[in-house]
Amino acid sequence: MKPFTYERSTDVQSAIGAVSARPNSKFIAGGTNLIDLMKVQVETPAHLVDVNHLPLANIEDLEGGSLRIGALVRNSTLAGDIRVRERYPVLSEALLAGASGQLRNKATTGGNLLQRTRCFYFYNTAMPCNKREPGSGCSALQGLNRIHAILGASSECIAVHPSDMAVALTALEARVETLSADGKTREIAMTEFHKLPGDTPEVETALKPGELIIAVILPPPPPGGQAYRKVRDRASYAFALVSVAVAGDQIAMGGVAHKPWRATKAEQALRSGADPAAAADAELVPARSYGGNEYKIPLSRRMIIRTIAQAKENARG
Ligand code: SF4
């Protein structure tokens, strides 16, 4: 690990000021991904600003039936919150499908959104990787790519976003609330928060330098059932090969793209009266295999069909 300096902040503006004031500074909260990346020198911050003591760990009801989740709410707390379990069960299920109990106790809502891909080559500094070192090439294109994207990829990067939580938040049409160094807050729709790789796979989110996630806002749940299903290589502590979140008639997918994938074509097809199989087919028209990940296309189709059915079953109780 490269040497770095460290400070702890207790108020939001000074944390943002500290990161903005020093080049190559980063916020650290649970650190469940950042520390791993620092150990293998994929991340080499010169300065860390610890935000664990900021007052951002509450879950509050908002007028109109929305729920505001502070950025420092731990994944285990969020999954167990009675309002989440009753009104947003897809989110609780997605959280409990991710990581391990110990990691969920440490990992935060904001940090979960910012975790980075688990592409093997991203972690291996001996191999070319455009995300880690822009312009060096993408080792996964011709390499081991069974965990990689089938939708929205580019010739520069075919990595996928690893979060389960973010897939449920996308299906629920959550918004990410941020604060910048100039004191301005803004809300970013989940569909706009993460980026597709395009020519700049190193740019992963809409955050500006020094901008801090302070909360995630869940609108009132849509009518209809909810469900989260995840296929992975082992029964726990593994990232999704393919996952699907359904909330009413809103659908998102994980493990298939550089960002949580809102399945708008499947949603439109369902609204037009198509059956779930036809809806899945509509979504997967642009799906592309890179060799090792070909299985994800039929798997995604089955997952969309099955998760829609599960959500309907859950609505019936
Ligand atoms: Fe790097 Fe993306 Fe290629 Fe993986 S898929 S090697 S993260 S550029």
Side-chain angles (χ1 to χ4, degrees):
M1 191 181 276
K2 296 253 191 201
F4 60 93
T5 51
Y6 167 92
E7 70 178 271
R8 181 183 287 175
S9 272
T10 52
D11 75 275
V12 175
Q13 275 301 351
S14 45
I16 293 170
V19 160
S20 304
R22 296 175 68 155
N24 198 15
S25 297
K26 275 197 171 281
F27 299 113
I28 185 165
T32 58
N33 188 211
L34 180 57
I35 298 291
D36 284 348
L37 290 164
M38 288 171 68
K39 285 181 186 165
V40 293
Q41 297 189 11
V42 171
E43 294 268 15
T44 54
H47 186 63
L48 289 182
V49 177
D50 185 339
V51 295
N52 281 294
H53 296 266
L54 303 186
L56 302 174
N58 292 328
I59 304 175
E60 313 159 61
D61 286 299
L62 300 180
E63 273 183 37
S66 297
L67 199 65
R68 184 174 184 272
I69 303 157
L72 289 171
V73 173
R74 306 288 155 174
N75 286 180
S76 50
T77 305
L78 186 57
D81 186 273
I82 191 66
R83 294 161 290 187
V84 174
R85 289 173 57 191
E86 288 183 356
R87 286 154 54 195
Y88 307 97
V90 65
L91 176 56
S92 188
E93 288 169 29
L95 284 159
L96 293 174
S100 65
Q102 287 164 315
L103 285 166
R104 291 193 294 270
N105 285 342
K106 195 83 185 136
T108 63
T109 303
N112 189 314
L113 292 174
L114 298 178
Q115 62 180 304
R116 306 196 70 189
T117 186
R118 266 54 177 196
C119 171
F120 321 116
Y121 303 105
F122 179 63
Y123 280 74
N124 184 348
T125 53
M127 299 295 290
C129 170
N130 285 325
K131 184 182 284 297
R132 177 171 27 77
E133 194 179 333
S136 62
C138 172
S139 297
L141 280 172
Q142 306 297 328
L144 295 171
N145 53 35
R146 70 181 290 277
I147 65 169
H148 288 76
I150 55 170
L151 291 163
S154 74
S155 58
E156 301 299 311
C157 179
I158 60 172
V160 299
H161 195 270
S163 170
D164 291 290
M165 182 193 81
V167 179
L169 292 181
T170 300
L172 290 166
E173 296 191 334
R175 304 185 303 278
V176 182
E177 186 181 336
T178 68
L179 183 64
S180 302
D182 59 9
K184 290 192 179 140
T185 58
R186 63 173 176 148
E187 288 185 8
I188 308 167
M190 271 301 293
T191 45
E192 304 299 318
F193 184 79
H194 296 97
K195 303 281 184 193
L196 289 177
D199 294 335
T200 54
E202 71 280 12
V203 181
E204 295 173 351
T205 71
L207 289 178
K208 294 179 286 195
E211 191 172 11
L212 179 67
I213 298 173
I214 54 172
V216 169
I217 297 169
L218 290 173
Q226 299 180 19
Y228 186 74
R229 290 180 77 88
K230 171 179 180 177
V231 170
R232 48 190 156 175
D233 278 330
R234 57 182 181 229
S236 87
Y237 196 32
F239 294 96
L241 297 169
V242 172
S243 67
V244 176
V246 173
D249 61 0
Q250 298 162 195
I251 305 170
M253 302 171 72
V256 296
H258 199 256
K259 60 188 281 186
W261 187 263
R262 181 78 186 263
T264 51
K265 293 192 181 68
E267 293 173 6
Q268 282 160 12
L270 287 173
R271 281 197 287 273
S272 307
D275 65 22
D281 288 338
E283 192 61 46
L284 294 167
V285 167
R288 172 179 173 191
S289 150
Y290 295 88
N293 62 351
E294 186 151 11
Y295 73 96
K296 283 193 178 186
I297 300 173
L299 178 59
S300 296
R301 181 178 190 273
R302 293 196 297 274
M303 287 283 284
I304 292 169
I305 296 167
R306 188 67 193 94
T307 314
I308 291 169
Q310 181 75 53
K312 284 191 179 142
E313 284 167 32
N314 291 348
R316 286 193 287 269

